[in-house]
Amino acid sequence: MEQDFPYAVYPSLDGRVVFITGGGSGIGESLVRHFCAQGSIVTFIDIAEDASRALVESIKSEGHRAPDFIPCDLRDIEALQAAIRATQEKHGAIRVLLNNAGNDDRHRTEDVTVAYWDDRMAVNQRHQFFAAQAVRPMMRDAGGGSIVNFGSITWMVGDADCPAYVTSKAAITGLTRALAREFGPERIRVNCMIPGWVMTERQMRLWLTPEGERQIAERQCLQDRVQPSDIARMALFLAADDSHMCTSQHFIVDGGWV
């Protein structure tokens, strides 16, 4: 269950332009809601148009500045980078990029084809590089920015039921460190968020079985369930000026699973 605590407000995020991939549901939805609540100018992309438009209306009804939603399949890199350019043209330089989008469908090694493997890399990893490539010049010219790439603890624990996904998420740690070193002189910070088993609607519907509950009880140090909001609050910190000397790191939010 979500818990009612007084959480931080980050003045540096008020009015800051933020771009979020996969913002229509799950962790992405929570990211959109939390950054809008901070007063950020948020644009998000997703392929789920109905859910995304409903999210925009929900945030508007709560009295926050409504985010912009751009329908986009981020496997189409030209469309992704066009959405980034459109955001800059409308709102100014993007100062925060949250590379959140991904898909952890289960699969077995013997069933993986070349086409499926390439698609998993496109869905989970390739777009993160090209989104960072697109925002870099505007962040540099604006005096800096924050890029948060989203990984997963699956590569740390070696999950056996999704090898292509595990591979793509492991690659994000290397990508993060390489970009942090290259972009650092331009005051662009690049970090990797590594969520544990987050209780999104999809995870609970597909995989939170009694066996899964027992696994959480055995593996997590903390017995509360990791919520999308737990990930969003760490992302707020990494996006804000409060973390201005944090870069080239991975930040694990998993209740102590690994």
Side-chain angles (χ1 to χ4, degrees):
M1 296 291 293
E2 298 278 0
Q3 301 198 30
D4 185 18
F5 297 123
Y7 292 112
V9 174
Y10 296 97
S12 63
L13 293 179
D14 187 13
R16 186 155 292 181
V17 180
V18 177
F19 190 90
I20 301 172
T21 66
S25 64
I27 293 172
E29 175 185 348
S30 190
L31 293 171
V32 172
R33 289 187 181 278
H34 278 76
F35 277 87
C36 286
Q38 294 281 336
S40 301
I41 302 170
V42 176
T43 298
F44 72 97
I45 62 171
D46 208 298
I47 58 173
E49 295 194 31
D50 290 346
S52 296
R53 297 189 193 285
L55 175 59
V56 172
E57 293 305 314
S58 175
I59 291 172
K60 189 185 302 184
S61 72
E62 293 169 0
H64 300 304
R65 176 179 180 142
D68 289 342
F69 164 59
I70 301 176
C72 180
D73 184 338
L74 46 66
R75 290 173 293 190
D76 182 343
I77 298 301
E78 290 185 4
L80 167 64
Q81 294 191 329
I84 289 172
R85 290 193 300 271
T87 301
Q88 179 190 27
E89 290 167 3
K90 182 175 181 180
H91 299 299
I94 295 168
R95 299 291 301 279
V96 176
L97 168 64
L98 302 175
N99 275 322
N100 160 74
N103 184 291
D104 63 347
D105 281 350
R106 305 314 195 237
H107 52 274
R108 296 178 60 82
T109 293
E110 58 266 31
D111 299 325
V112 173
T113 64
V114 171
Y116 181 82
W117 180 272
D118 290 346
D119 183 72
R120 293 302 89 184
M121 297 305 120
V123 168
N124 293 309
Q125 194 272 335
R126 184 180 67 180
H127 60 87
Q128 297 204 15
F129 173 83
F130 286 102
Q133 180 190 66
V135 300
R136 180 187 185 181
M138 62 185 81
M139 287 186 175
R140 179 194 61 220
D141 294 346
S146 174
I147 299 172
V148 182
N149 299 324
F150 279 68
S152 168
I153 64 167
T154 55
W155 73 266
M156 293 181 167
V157 300
D159 279 0
D161 57 358
C162 50
Y165 177 77
V166 169
T167 300
S168 67
K169 288 299 185 179
I172 291 167
T173 294
L175 173 66
T176 296
R177 293 184 67 83
L179 296 185
R181 183 67 61 182
E182 183 180 356
F183 294 6
E186 299 164 4
R187 302 179 66 85
I188 300 170
R189 300 181 291 112
V190 189
N191 288 292
C192 184
M193 171 80 73
I194 302 184
W197 193 355
V198 182
M199 296 296 103
T200 64
E201 184 278 330
R202 181 172 185 267
Q203 294 292 318
M204 292 187 290
R205 172 171 48 85
L206 294 177
W207 297 301
L208 189 62
T209 62
E211 180 183 356
E213 291 279 14
R214 287 193 297 272
Q215 188 180 29
I216 292 171
E218 292 169 359
R219 295 297 300 270
Q220 284 189 188
C221 298
L222 301 174
Q223 290 304 293
D224 292 337
R225 300 299 182 254
V226 181
Q227 300 295 329
S229 58
D230 296 313
I231 310 304
R233 284 190 286 270
M234 177 60 82
L236 291 175
F237 170 72
L238 293 174
D241 291 349
D242 299 64
S243 60
H244 80 285
M245 290 302 289
C246 296
T247 196
S248 192
Q249 304 302 314
H250 56 247
F251 292 82
I252 304 172
V253 183
D254 70 346
W257 190 294
V258 297

